[in-house]
Amino acid sequence: MSAPAAPPPEQMAVVLTESAADKLLPFATLVSGALALGFRVDVFASYWGLMAFRKSPPASTSTVSPGHGEDGARLEKALTAPKAPSWKAILEMAKSIGELHIYACSQSMEVLGLSKTDLDPLVDGVTGVATFIDRTRSANVTYFI
Amino acid sequence: MSAPAAPPPEQMAVVLTESAADKLLPFATLVSGALALGFRVDVFASYWGLMAFRKSPPASTSTVSPGHGEDGARLEKALTAPKAPSWKAILEMAKSIGELHIYACSQSMEVLGLSKTDLDPLVDGVTGVATFIDRTRSANVTYFI
Amino acid sequence: MSAPAAPPPEQMAVVLTESAADKLLPFATLVSGALALGFRVDVFASYWGLMAFRKSPPASTSTVSPGHGEDGARLEKALTAPKAPSWKAILEMAKSIGELHIYACSQSMEVLGLSKTDLDPLVDGVTGVATFIDRTRSANVTYFI
């Protein structure tokens, strides 16, 4: 008699459409925390969220979301300080400890004129939105960032 | 003996508060993908998300979220090209293939001074937030956009 | 024989990263509606979402998200009118009717150089993201704002 199958891990689904550091940091820490708790995490990177994974983002991309005046300037400074947390480093560390899947949105790829080789190796593949929803239809936690 | 009732369809709940194309496109494709998989989708359009459904949005409304510099200008150009995907067209197509309900947030209607006749026929009705939460308390997937 | 334990209440989890009124109002009304329906609500305030709970937010913080042109100016005017709804008042009222927990993101506290005494008494405590995910892993509804 075979042993009963282990239950599937809890799952977090994230649709990422932002590229400013004040969104990418909460994103990376959420993903990291979920993986540390044993969740499987599936990310669908769309539009600006996909741009964030380009190998060479142009310098014109702002670090902090606009519209925050002096506070924004202060946060920008804090986030570019040498010891500031890096969302990419948090994500790379997270990927080494658990099951993290990052998919590029195929519609965004086409509109933005990007190909798989333009993207960071953290991105596992290109997929359509229906495939993503199908993979995450039983997710315990779902966030659109 | 009557046949057992069919299980209710899986459900996606979306609170929409954005009006830029780089949010409305992921929104429309998510809704469309979920309907294609047989989900029922309930949308609560609030503030800018409600403005997006006005019959005549003023030209001053930007197509792309601010703060993206040259990349933003490039995306704006891609999204206004003749063959670019239109979020409204995607949504209209989606509505014809499945159960899509779009509700206008009553608080936003009051603050913005809008009446039902100002809104696109895609909007099914005006409702309060508690009614929306009640209708989506068993949703499988929940996104705030 | 003891009575069977009551089932745990339904739960809403919210990660809040925004500070503009056009996000805080939908946030506060969602929380308020969920509490009215008997949900327990857990909020994780991160970056700008944490800034929104400072005791003295500087005047430079804009009320309405940028990029909305004339519509933005009109909404700003509507939201600063004497009888306009206040997100903070809605939240305080909501806290008095149900189980609302608001946690400050510890990473954000450090990056922003804030301490607990800088924050509104509505904030119950400071916590890490893994603790928040652990507390909300069974949430029925999850929103990232």
Side-chain angles (χ1 to χ4, degrees):
Chain A
M1 208 172 110
S2 61
E10 290 176 286
Q11 188 182 15
M12 176 183 280
V14 180
V15 179
L16 179 72
T17 67
E18 298 273 353
S19 62
D22 47 27
K23 295 290 183 178
L24 292 171
L25 274 168
F27 158 67
T29 52
L30 267 177
V31 167
S32 170
L35 289 167
L37 289 169
F39 281 61
R40 166 197 168 132
V41 180
D42 290 83
V43 175
F44 190 65
S46 183
Y47 290 91
W48 298 112
L50 184 54
M51 297 288 241
F53 284 102
R54 276 179 306 177
K55 277 178 191 152
S56 20
S60 67
T61 304
S62 74
T63 303
V64 164
S65 297
H68 292 290
E70 283 177 32
D71 280 341
R74 216 170 296 129
L75 180 55
E76 181 106 28
K77 203 175 160 189
L79 292 178
T80 49
K83 60 167 198 160
S86 146
W87 70 275
K88 195 76 85 70
I90 294 170
L91 218 58
E92 278 160 2
M93 174 90 75
K95 186 142 190 165
S96 74
I97 65 163
E99 197 182 346
L100 170 60
H101 304 272
I102 301 178
Y103 313 104
C105 162
S106 55
Q107 186 196 67
S108 306
M109 295 288 283
E110 199 175 323
V111 170
L112 300 169
L114 295 173
S115 67
K116 181 76 178 66
T117 53
D118 297 319
L119 304 173
D120 191 285
L122 277 166
V123 178
D124 296 291
V126 179
T127 189
V129 73
T131 303
F132 178 75
I133 296 171
D134 189 37
R135 279 178 185 152
T136 57
R137 65 201 306 163
S138 303
N140 304 68
V141 174
T142 55
Y143 287 126
F144 187 104
I145 299 181
Chain B
M1 207 173 107
S2 61
E10 289 176 287
Q11 189 182 14
M12 177 183 280
V14 179
V15 180
L16 179 72
T17 67
E18 297 273 354
S19 61
D22 47 26
K23 295 291 182 177
L24 292 171
L25 274 168
F27 158 67
T29 51
L30 268 177
V31 166
S32 170
L35 288 167
L37 289 170
F39 281 60
R40 165 197 169 134
V41 180
D42 290 82
V43 176
F44 189 65
S46 183
Y47 289 92
W48 298 112
L50 183 54
M51 298 288 240
F53 284 101
R54 276 178 307 176
K55 277 178 193 152
S56 20
S60 68
T61 303
S62 75
T63 303
V64 164
S65 298
H68 293 288
E70 284 177 33
D71 281 341
R74 216 170 296 131
L75 180 55
E76 181 106 28
K77 202 175 161 191
L79 292 178
T80 49
K83 59 166 199 161
S86 146
W87 71 275
K88 195 78 85 68
I90 294 171
L91 219 57
E92 278 160 2
M93 173 90 75
K95 187 144 190 163
S96 74
I97 64 163
E99 198 183 346
L100 170 60
H101 304 273
I102 301 178
Y103 313 105
C105 162
S106 55
Q107 186 196 66
S108 307
M109 295 288 284
E110 199 175 324
V111 169
L112 300 169
L114 294 174
S115 67
K116 181 75 176 69
T117 54
D118 297 319
L119 303 174
D120 191 285
L122 276 167
V123 178
D124 297 291
V126 179
T127 189
V129 72
T131 303
F132 177 76
I133 297 171
D134 190 35
R135 279 179 186 152
T136 56
R137 64 201 308 164
S138 302
N140 305 67
V141 173
T142 55
Y143 287 126
F144 186 104
I145 299 181
Chain C
M1 206 174 106
S2 62
E10 289 176 287
Q11 187 182 14
M12 176 183 279
V14 180
V15 179
L16 179 72
T17 67
E18 298 273 352
S19 61
D22 47 28
K23 294 291 182 177
L24 292 171
L25 274 168
F27 157 68
T29 51
L30 267 177
V31 167
S32 170
L35 289 166
L37 289 170
F39 280 60
R40 165 197 169 133
V41 180
D42 290 83
V43 176
F44 189 66
S46 182
Y47 290 91
W48 298 112
L50 183 54
M51 298 289 240
F53 284 101
R54 277 179 307 177
K55 277 178 193 152
S56 20
S60 67
T61 304
S62 75
T63 303
V64 164
S65 297
H68 293 289
E70 284 177 32
D71 280 342
R74 216 170 296 130
L75 180 55
E76 181 106 27
K77 203 175 161 190
L79 291 178
T80 50
K83 59 165 199 162
S86 146
W87 70 275
K88 196 77 85 71
I90 294 171
L91 218 58
E92 278 161 1
M93 172 89 76
K95 187 143 187 162
S96 73
I97 64 164
E99 198 182 347
L100 170 60
H101 304 273
I102 301 178
Y103 313 105
C105 163
S106 56
Q107 185 196 66
S108 307
M109 295 288 283
E110 199 175 324
V111 170
L112 300 169
L114 295 174
S115 67
K116 181 74 178 68
T117 54
D118 297 320
L119 303 175
D120 191 285
L122 276 167
V123 178
D124 295 291
V126 179
T127 189
V129 72
T131 303
F132 177 75
I133 297 171
D134 189 36
R135 279 178 185 152
T136 56
R137 64 201 307 162
S138 302
N140 304 68
V141 173
T142 55
Y143 287 127
F144 187 105
I145 300 181

